[in-house]
Amino acid sequence: MRSKLDIYGTKLDSRMLIGSALYPSPKVMQDSIVASGAQVVTLSLSRQNPTKVGGQSGGENFWEIIKSLGLHLLPNTAGCHSVKEAVTMAKMSREIFGTDWIKLELVGDDFNLQPDPIDLVKATEILLSDGFKVLPYCTDDLVIARHLVELGCKVIMPWGSPIGTGKGLLNPYALRAIRERFPEVTMIVDSGIGLPSHAMQAMEMGVDAILLNTAVAHAQHPDIMAQAFKGSIEAGRLAYEAGAMVERESASASTPTLDSPFWHQA
């Protein structure tokens, strides 16, 4: 029986999480999310406010599309630069979106939008104590991952490379180290994935899921790219569960010698 993705006790069939930003139109966004087969969609109050503000519709149309998809919502704290800002946005998101899931993002440096490891740990502790189910977005640092797990995170989300770069997995060794050190924790690679082959590489090493946005939204045909990622993530997971052959340094004949002429066996 195939295993399922586990996010704080919620079991999901799809191992692809998808973002809702950057698409050329709401229709393209909707078609792409459906094509991906994802069961979790990320969204942010900093970009889409599903309430009427000052008589304006705000992001109400966007919100109606998201609700019509019937997916699990994963609000994020994108754009936050301080613990106070991130905690405030998380609490607002919980109230508006009706979920205690939060993808915790804290920008440490605007040059490459690297997560702030120190403030991330501080904010994680505050939110966990307030009943949130925190999915922290972090770098591929094993020690930071350890602090987050020790605080009580059941999910960690290390980057593959800086957000929006599409460079893929810059440090596969670091990701493998986190995977091997914390086999019981749900590990989702978030940011930097640009191609389906990048996603497959991560899945083959035992990563539990992939979160995508830019790679799909900025493709020439986002809905088709969403399908491509869906297939690659499924294939990568199947390969991991099947167990790959051991890599060898020298050739090894694939044709058996049993019952072949003795001069062939020699």
Side-chain angles (χ1 to χ4, degrees):
M1 182 179 295
R2 296 286 307 281
S3 61
K4 294 179 180 289
L5 175 64
D6 186 339
I7 299 182
Y8 284 95
T10 297
K11 302 298 178 65
L12 304 170
D13 293 314
S14 173
R15 293 179 178 273
M16 178 174 171
L17 293 74
I18 194 164
S20 55
L22 306 176
Y23 294 90
S25 73
K27 180 65 166 58
V28 172
M29 176 194 72
Q30 182 177 19
D31 291 345
S32 300
I33 292 175
V34 171
S36 73
Q39 294 173 280
V40 177
V41 60
T42 65
L43 65 174
S44 174
L45 282 181
S46 64
R47 297 192 180 96
Q48 305 105 358
N49 187 348
T51 60
K52 292 185 178 181
V53 180
Q56 302 299 317
S57 62
E60 197 170 14
N61 292 336
F62 165 85
W63 181 231
E64 289 301 321
I65 292 175
I66 293 296
K67 286 197 296 184
S68 72
L69 297 172
L71 306 179
H72 293 277
L73 304 181
L74 178 57
N76 63 50
T77 60
C80 290
H81 288 73
S82 70
V83 172
K84 181 179 180 180
E85 191 179 2
V87 170
T88 299
M89 184 173 288
K91 291 181 177 180
M92 292 172 61
S93 296
R94 179 167 62 182
E95 181 177 345
I96 292 173
F97 297 120
T99 177
D100 54 8
W101 286 7
I102 190 71
K103 177 191 169 189
L104 182 59
E105 300 184 41
L106 259 164
V107 178
D109 193 297
D110 287 327
F111 177 72
N112 67 351
L113 301 179
Q114 179 171 327
D116 186 319
I118 298 172
D119 282 351
L120 180 68
V121 171
K122 292 178 182 177
T124 296
E125 186 172 15
I126 293 171
L127 293 174
L128 285 172
S129 66
D130 194 28
F132 282 90
K133 295 183 172 79
V134 181
L135 291 78
Y137 167 56
C138 57
T139 57
D140 51 12
D141 186 294
L142 177 63
V143 177
I144 294 301
R146 179 174 62 81
H147 284 300
L148 294 169
V149 172
E150 288 175 350
L151 285 174
C153 289
K154 304 298 183 185
V155 181
I156 53 175
M157 305 180 74
W159 71 1
S161 52
I163 188 168
T165 62
K167 291 182 176 295
L169 309 184
L170 292 185
N171 195 341
Y173 169 81
L175 292 173
R176 286 194 186 94
I178 295 173
R179 175 72 293 169
E180 293 174 10
R181 176 67 176 82
F182 306 108
E184 75 286 357
V185 173
T186 297
M187 181 176 171
I188 303 173
V189 168
D190 176 15
S191 90
I193 299 295
L195 295 170
S197 57
H198 299 159
M200 183 178 290
Q201 180 187 6
M203 296 302 294
E204 287 175 344
M205 68 173 65
V207 166
D208 294 291
I210 304 291
L211 194 155
L212 296 160
N213 195 162
T214 309
V216 173
H218 281 185
Q220 293 184 35
H221 302 284
D223 58 332
I224 297 176
M225 185 60 77
Q227 293 180 55
F229 272 108
K230 176 184 178 182
S232 69
I233 290 170
E234 290 177 350
R237 182 64 187 186
L238 276 173
Y240 172 72
E241 292 183 350
M245 64 169 283
V246 177
E247 185 176 325
R248 299 187 178 99
E249 292 298 326
S250 58
S252 176
S254 58
T255 303
T257 58
L258 186 65
D259 294 329
S260 62
F262 69 87
W263 57 87
H264 286 178
Q265 297 181 35

